[in-house]
Amino acid sequence: MVIELGEPGHRFKRSRVGDVELHVTALALGVPLSERIAQKCGREATRCALWLEGRYGEKPPFPNDHPQYEVIKVGDLVDETVELKGERAK
């Protein structure tokens, strides 16, 4: 997933897999996702591409109409230049 970040301390500006935008939540993580991203990509990063395991849901009652993706595990960094695809667990 590629996550574009706003100013430090602000929400994510955009989260996507390929061309699909998602509304990312991380309530299941013990450490906030923003902190995990800072650990992996650095505190000054404006975007970060990494593996995220989670649950894909229906469109939530949020201001945008992007489907919800609840992160349950943060993985390694990903080369953003390769084609990114979502994968559904069986």
Side-chain angles (χ1 to χ4, degrees):
M1 184 168 300
V2 176
I3 298 178
E4 296 177 15
L5 306 163
E7 296 293 320
H10 289 81
R11 295 192 171 269
F12 309 125
K13 290 187 344 187
R14 184 177 180 210
S15 304
R16 63 182 173 80
V17 174
D19 292 334
V20 178
E21 286 198 47
L22 300 168
H23 180 89
V24 174
T25 63
L27 301 176
L29 294 176
V31 176
L33 181 57
S34 57
E35 180 60 28
R36 299 282 181 107
I37 290 172
Q39 291 170 356
K40 300 265 184 185
C41 295
R43 299 213 177 271
E44 301 302 317
T46 57
R47 62 192 291 130
C48 187
L50 62 158
W51 285 110
L52 297 178
E53 290 184 32
R55 292 185 284 267
Y56 178 81
E58 297 298 318
K59 293 183 178 180
F62 294 118
N64 63 42
D65 63 348
H66 303 309
Q68 180 173 325
Y69 187 82
E70 183 180 357
V71 178
I72 57 174
K73 184 178 178 184
V74 177
D76 294 328
L77 294 175
V78 178
D79 181 357
E80 187 179 343
T81 61
V82 299
E83 183 178 357
L84 300 175
K85 293 182 181 179
E87 186 175 296
R88 201 172 191 159
K90 295 178 182 176

